[in-house]
Amino acid sequence: PPNVWADKAAAIVSSAGGSGGRRAQHHLRQIGVFVDLHFINKPEFSINGHELPTKFDSEGNLVDPETKERLKKVLQALQAFTLRLQGR
């Protein structure tokens, strides 16, 4: 105590092979509910980081323009949801 996670807005993003990222997201949502996090529902974001065309450069930086735009939408939704939870 106190629960520092309670009533915080959250989003989950993943980059994995196959369906592992989506399964991990589902499990993180279950854990988040237990600690009173509030997740955005949309947009969801999961990419297969190993499929072509390559989404990341050799240093691990996200370089795919379409994926960057999708991630930007997730972050914008998280910001709007955070402000809504704060009553703004």
Side-chain angles (χ1 to χ4, degrees):
N3 178 3
V4 297
W5 298 100
D7 295 322
K8 299 282 193 311
I12 301 172
V13 300
S14 65
S15 173
S19 61
R22 287 184 291 280
R23 286 194 311 267
Q25 284 189 13
H26 178 73
H27 189 60
L28 284 171
R29 282 181 182 273
Q30 291 172 321
I31 294 167
V33 167
F34 180 77
V35 296
D36 296 323
L37 282 171
H38 301 288
F39 290 101
I40 62 169
N41 292 318
K42 293 180 183 175
E44 291 182 334
F45 185 88
S46 177
I47 61 170
N48 184 343
H50 306 291
E51 68 184 11
L52 294 175
T54 305
K55 308 283 191 254
F56 300 94
D57 67 15
S58 61
E59 295 178 5
N61 298 305
L62 181 61
V63 295
D64 180 64
E66 181 181 323
T67 304
K68 282 184 173 184
E69 187 60 32
R70 288 179 50 220
L71 182 57
K72 179 180 175 182
K73 289 179 181 178
V74 170
L75 296 174
Q76 289 171 332
L78 177 60
Q79 179 185 35
F81 187 54
T82 300
L83 293 174
R84 204 164 69 223
L85 284 176
Q86 294 174 345
R88 295 192 215 169

